[in-house]
Amino acid sequence: MNDPAGRRLQTLAIDIGGTGLKASVLDASGKMVEEHVRMPTPYPCSPAILVEALTKLTAPLTSYDRISIGFPGVVRDGRIITAPHFKGKTWANYPLADTLARRLGKPARLLNDAEVQGLGIIKGQGLEVVLTLGTGVGSAIFSNGALTPHLELAQHPIHKDETYNEYVGNAARQALSSRKWNKRVLKVIGHIYSLVHYDVLYLGGGNAARVTVALPDNIHIASNDAGITGGIRLWDEAIWSDVLGRRAETSVH
């Protein structure tokens, strides 16, 4: 996308994770034009602490015109609805997009981090599911390239009282043998297939590389860089209009 003067716009893409914060600058095609920067996610992590950390993280990245942000929780209209990794009442309804836009001096758009990653992965054909395996579990579902209403599978029970986050999140991976953790991943994949009968499923996130079991042909391991590079799609007006439309639908019903 170009600005009115014909200059090709560049996008600062920020990927907020439960373990790490990452960012880079993307050209108009979504390719990184600067080496990505990274820092550990601070804990405890209030909104003010996160904004300070992101300001420090992105300070070396200066040649951008707009901002895309992926956040691990439920997001609506530029605000944080849930922040399961960060806790605290101060996150409820927090206007992260507007706050970062004011702080960094550029317009900003915000979406769930798995949805951002999905936008950088999907082919736009059939029912595609993105499942991210990191500190917790992220999920996004796309129908012929269109983002469907967000399902926060991470907080849903899968085994006794354990949520998806607790069952295959990073704490479980560290506590279990690789074989047992991989067996759990297969169980999660089976549950998701039973739920939505996807055509293709993509495994992303930092722990996707630790999946060592044989996978069906319609399941693919995706690059973790998509959590950054997918940020360019937030500035595709057709996609963003679809996001806004679906948010409006969920607020009406």
Side-chain angles (χ1 to χ4, degrees):
M1 182 183 296
N2 298 345
D3 69 5
R7 187 172 57 86
R8 296 180 70 79
L9 300 178
Q10 297 195 143
T11 304
L12 171 64
I14 299 172
D15 183 10
I16 300 170
T19 301
L21 310 175
K22 298 185 293 183
S24 185
V25 175
L26 311 177
D27 66 14
S29 69
K31 180 181 178 181
M32 292 188 199
V33 297
E34 296 192 35
E35 188 73 22
H36 83 265
V37 292
R38 180 186 174 100
M39 67 184 296
T41 302
Y43 283 95
C45 192
S46 66
I49 289 173
L50 180 65
V51 169
E52 286 298 326
L54 293 176
T55 302
K56 180 179 179 181
L57 172 73
T58 59
L61 307 174
T62 57
S63 58
Y64 58 88
D65 307 282
R66 57 201 185 180
I67 306 164
S68 294
I69 311 154
F71 184 87
V74 177
V75 170
R76 192 167 297 138
D77 300 326
R79 295 175 175 269
I80 306 302
I81 305 301
T82 66
H85 296 298
F86 302 143
K87 314 296 184 185
K89 296 180 179 179
T90 54
W91 278 108
N93 209 34
Y94 183 74
L96 182 59
D98 284 348
T99 302
L100 275 178
R102 289 195 302 269
R103 187 64 177 267
L104 300 180
K106 306 290 182 181
R109 290 179 176 177
L110 173 71
L111 203 60
N112 170 268
D113 60 338
E115 294 175 339
V116 173
Q117 186 166 56
L119 288 170
I121 294 171
I122 62 168
K123 306 301 182 185
Q125 299 175 343
L127 192 65
E128 297 173 281
V129 172
V130 175
L131 186 70
T132 60
L133 303 173
T135 306
V137 176
S139 60
I141 304 174
F142 300 83
S143 178
N144 292 319
L147 184 62
T148 70
H150 184 68
L151 295 177
E152 190 69 352
L153 288 178
Q155 304 305 315
H156 195 271
I158 183 172
H159 178 72
K160 297 182 179 179
D161 293 330
E162 289 184 304
T163 64
Y164 281 69
N165 270 351
E166 295 163 336
Y167 193 65
V168 291
N170 200 49
R173 185 194 63 78
Q174 292 176 333
L176 300 170
S177 68
S178 176
R179 183 184 66 82
K180 288 184 178 180
W181 182 77
N182 271 266
K183 186 176 180 180
R184 288 189 174 193
V185 171
L186 287 179
K187 181 177 178 179
V188 165
I189 289 171
H191 276 254
I192 293 174
Y193 185 77
S194 295
L195 180 66
V196 299
H197 291 274
Y198 55 77
D199 295 305
V200 182
L201 183 142
Y202 303 94
L203 292 176
N207 283 334
R210 300 179 185 273
V211 177
T212 57
V213 290
L215 297 170
D217 291 341
N218 65 337
I219 299 179
H220 308 289
I221 304 294
S223 169
N224 201 32
D225 285 344
I228 295 176
T229 58
I232 194 67
R233 305 290 304 282
L234 270 62
W235 292 93
D236 180 317
E237 294 307 323
I239 288 175
W240 193 247
S241 294
D242 183 64
V243 168
L244 295 178
R246 293 191 180 278
R247 295 297 183 263
E249 288 173 12
T250 58
S251 66
V252 170
H253 296 291

